[in-house]
Amino acid sequence: MNLPALATRLQELGIMGKAFCDLSRDEAVAMVQACWDALEPTDARRIPYWRGNELMIPFDAPTAFKSWLGPDGWLRMFHILEAMGASDADRARYLGPDWRERMAKRSQFTQNPCCPVCGGAIKKEAA
């Protein structure tokens, strides 16, 4: 966090010496915005977060949180939602209404790797 920039901004707003309980609503919002603006790109800004009921993944988030990279974005999104504590409704919105069936098929396939069409054995390397 860039503390000198934060202190300068709080001085400009005239809220540097005030207790939080003495701030008006607008001053409290301005203070939070100033704190957010003072964060460095490597701080908490890079972690996915919920804005209302929308999942926000910042562009500078670590690669593990970028579901659009890699060959299996659906599974990455599943793990992100699981880590974020998403509800079943959120999972249905981001993964599709059949997300439970898809996940059951994935776990069944990894436990017993066989072709869903012919039932023949499949090498795990190909899976």
Side-chain angles (χ1 to χ4, degrees), residues 2 7 18 22 27 29 40-42 44 54-55 60 63 86 125:
N2 188 346
K18 290 185 178 180
D22 295 335
E27 289 174 333
V29 169
E40 299 292 336
T42 58
E54 294 293 322
L55 178 64
D60 59 348
T63 306
E125 294 82 30

Side-chain angles (χ1 to χ4, degrees), residues 51-118:
R51 181 185 290 166
N53 57 358
E54 294 293 322
L55 178 64
M56 307 303 283
I57 301 177
F59 72 94
D60 59 348
T63 306
F65 296 118
K66 294 180 180 178
S67 63
W68 55 92
L69 297 177
D72 197 357
W74 188 91
L75 190 58
R76 277 189 177 201
M77 181 57 77
F78 175 81
H79 290 301
I80 291 169
L81 291 171
E82 188 175 50
M84 297 292 294
S87 66
D88 287 348
D90 291 329
R91 290 179 193 205
R93 183 168 5 122
Y94 286 101
L95 301 173
D98 61 341
W99 69 271
R100 282 193 174 133
E101 291 84 15
R102 289 180 70 181
M103 201 60 205
K105 286 180 184 177
R106 283 178 174 269
S107 62
Q108 178 184 17
F109 181 75
T110 57
Q111 292 169 2
N112 184 17
C114 61
C115 177
V117 177
C118 69

